[in-house]
Amino acid sequence: MDDPATIGHRVQRLRAQRGLTQRQLAEPSYTPAYVSTLESGKVRPSETALRFLAERLGTSYEELATGRPAHLATELRLALVEARRQLATGTAEEAAVSYRHLLADAEHLGLVPEQAEALLGLGDCALETGELVDAGHHFQAAERLLAEEPLPRRARAIRGRAVAHLLAGELRYACYLLESTIDELGASGLADPEALVVLYAAVIGPYMDMGAHARAAHAAELALALAPQVDDPALVAGMHRQVARTFLAEGRTADADASLAKAQAIYQQLSLRTDLAHCHWMRGYVQAQNGELAAAEQELRTARDMLNVKRAALFTAQVEVELADVLRRLGRHGEASDMLSAFLELGDRHGAVHAGGAYRLLGLIAEERGDSETAEEHYVTALGLLERSGASGDLADLCRLLGDLLRRGGRTEAALDAYRTGLGHRSPPGTTTLGPAPTALVFPRH
């Protein structure tokens, strides 16, 4: 909001242009004396007063408070909705180009909520393309801009930061961010269902990697139960977008903003497809652990296809690591090797846990083919990756595999060293170093 003198001069100019007296502008809610004092810059008007005066003057609160034409902000919000559509239904690369331009525009206009939305979009794009450092920076910047907003408004930024830490192999910190936010939502009475879907779906990954399968399964069921069911949301959102354009062309900015809000909400639901794909991924993982390989393959393929449609190369490749393990156990080594090769082509852009898992599987395939030397190379590479990640259960299992391989080759001392390393990381199945699971929130059925 501008200073009182600037606002007062603006009110006086607009009143004169419209041929209104101070009394005509003020009544019935205010007095002519108040308008006179305001126009002279001697009082800072409240938001309520400015909204009343804006309506009487035939302008917007934003234009009266800042001098910025309302249509500029509405046009920017329309473009942000379009960028969200690109991300929800197209590619992250295309959406990122749009978001970068929109961030610059929002900064130039001084529109903080729109800056935060553009940063969140850039963070989501960076996650899908595997640019983890950039993603973390974008989400942190958005969270700082939203620091004074209610917690549900910050859920996407927190979730983004947590996923970036997860993919970088920092499992415990990712869990901490997500679990503490879920608990804070419950304690504050701000248990927004959409925010919870985002957070529950995001916490599945670190739970799985840390061996907390029961927590992962519970989080997935909660997320799927809360997820909105929309038959064809893209068509509805497109309709609202076009209606907003019509309103904007007619100068009806308030109506345009209302339509944009509806479109934005639907595109937000569309973005949940990635989170729901993670739920199918988790289900497939649990089924694989229980030996239900056919069902696991179906769930993992569903997750992979959902992510592939979004062109989320990083997440798609990580699901294929899990799927490759199922295919290997079904005896389909060729298919498994092809999937693992696609994952490792991403280089350093994937997380240590899944990279370690990929090399572990390549080691198992090599061992089953009788190539002990190649198997050892893959196991050692996996060991180095998993030691950095904190995935204790995976690391203990890998050390057992390496030790067994070395022992069968007659290298007893080296095998003992591998076993000792594994024992140092051993933990009971299904446990983590975390505290109690976050409190489950129950919503009434409508």
Side-chain angles (χ1 to χ4, degrees):
M1 185 183 293
D2 287 336
D3 61 85
T6 301
I7 294 174
H9 176 71
R10 190 175 296 132
V11 170
Q12 184 181 44
R13 175 175 54 80
L14 290 172
R15 179 178 62 78
Q17 288 176 355
R18 286 151 177 76
L20 297 174
T21 66
Q22 290 180 337
R23 181 178 298 279
Q24 288 171 326
L25 178 60
E27 293 180 343
S29 299
Y30 296 92
T31 65
Y34 176 77
V35 171
S36 176
T37 304
L38 187 155
E39 289 183 349
S40 66
K42 296 177 181 178
V43 63
R44 176 175 289 278
S46 67
E47 179 179 337
T48 301
L50 276 187
R51 290 193 182 279
F52 170 81
L53 295 173
E55 184 177 353
R56 299 282 289 167
L57 291 166
T59 187
S60 68
Y61 162 78
E62 184 174 55
E63 186 165 0
L64 204 56
T66 67
R68 185 169 50 239
H71 70 87
L72 292 180
T74 302
E75 287 171 357
L76 181 59
R77 284 190 280 272
L78 179 62
L80 283 166
V81 170
E82 176 64 20
R84 176 59 60 180
R85 183 199 66 78
Q86 285 183 298
L87 181 57
T89 62
T91 67
E93 289 87 352
E94 293 169 349
V97 173
S98 298
Y99 276 123
R100 279 192 286 271
H101 290 304
L102 294 171
L103 176 60
D105 290 344
E107 289 173 341
H108 176 70
L109 293 172
L111 297 171
V112 173
E114 286 70 24
Q115 289 178 52
E117 184 62 31
L119 286 165
L120 288 170
L122 283 171
D124 287 336
C125 292
L127 281 183
E128 292 205 0
T129 57
E131 305 296 336
L132 304 183
V133 174
D134 289 344
H137 290 160
H138 292 318
F139 287 123
Q140 281 186 321
E143 196 172 351
R144 284 194 295 269
L145 285 173
L146 298 171
E148 301 303 319
E149 295 290 324
L151 185 55
R153 286 275 290 117
R154 289 179 274 130
R156 287 170 56 204
I158 295 168
R159 172 259 187 196
R161 278 207 298 136
V163 173
H165 284 292
L166 165 65
L167 296 177
E170 299 163 4
L171 310 181
R172 291 182 179 84
Y173 188 62
C175 278
Y176 163 75
L177 283 175
L178 295 165
E179 289 192 336
S180 60
T181 305
I182 291 170
D183 277 335
E184 189 177 348
L185 277 171
S188 65
L190 299 174
D192 179 83
E194 185 171 307
L196 285 169
V197 170
V198 169
L199 297 168
Y200 277 131
V203 83
I204 290 168
Y207 279 163
M208 285 168 52
D209 290 339
M210 296 183 72
H213 301 158
R215 287 196 190 186
H218 185 55
E221 294 303 326
L222 288 170
L224 290 170
L226 289 170
Q229 301 297 314
V230 181
D231 292 333
D232 195 352
L235 289 178
V236 179
M239 179 269 292
H240 286 302
R241 259 174 51 244
Q242 294 308 317
V243 168
R245 290 182 188 278
T246 301
F247 285 146
L248 191 58
E250 296 173 353
R252 298 166 59 186
T253 55
D255 292 331
D257 278 340
S259 287
L260 287 176
K262 294 175 183 176
Q264 180 73 13
I266 294 172
Y267 285 126
Q268 192 65 31
Q269 292 171 351
L270 278 174
S271 296
L272 293 175
R273 287 180 176 177
T274 299
D275 296 318
L276 296 177
H278 280 257
C279 296
H280 287 289
W281 177 1
M282 191 285 307
R283 278 180 170 171
Y285 177 86
V286 171
Q287 288 167 341
Q289 297 301 304
N290 292 334
E292 303 167 24
L293 299 183
E297 180 182 358
Q298 182 176 347
E299 286 285 358
L300 292 171
R301 286 191 185 279
T302 297
R304 185 193 61 173
D305 292 346
M306 290 173 71
L307 293 166
N308 200 38
V309 167
K310 291 288 275 60
R311 301 187 191 180
L314 176 65
F315 293 140
T316 300
Q318 289 185 340
V319 171
E320 288 182 340
V321 174
E322 309 288 357
L323 182 54
D325 186 31
V326 171
L327 295 175
R328 180 194 66 82
R329 292 165 64 185
L330 289 168
R332 293 149 64 182
H333 288 176
E335 291 180 64
S337 295
D338 289 343
M339 286 188 178
L340 295 171
S341 297
F343 176 82
L344 294 175
E345 283 176 4
L346 291 174
D348 293 333
R349 294 165 61 192
H350 49 61
V353 173
H354 284 84
Y359 280 109
R360 171 187 173 277
L361 286 176
L362 287 171
L364 284 169
I365 292 171
E367 194 172 352
E368 289 164 1
R369 289 173 172 171
D371 188 350
S372 298
E373 183 176 348
T374 300
E376 182 180 348
E377 290 176 2
H378 289 316
Y379 287 153
V380 170
T381 301
L383 184 63
L385 289 164
L386 293 176
E387 280 185 320
R388 299 201 309 266
S389 72
S392 300
D394 291 345
L395 187 57
D397 176 68
L398 178 64
C399 289
R400 177 187 59 79
L401 290 172
L402 179 58
D404 290 348
L405 178 67
L406 295 170
R407 179 176 55 79
R408 286 193 296 271
R411 297 159 63 187
T412 306
E413 288 301 320
L416 288 172
D417 286 342
Y419 290 140
R420 291 188 190 102
T421 300
L423 287 171
H425 294 279
R426 188 176 180 183
S427 59
T431 63
T432 72
T433 58
L434 306 172
T439 303
L441 300 170
V442 179
F443 293 90
R445 294 183 180 275
H446 297 289

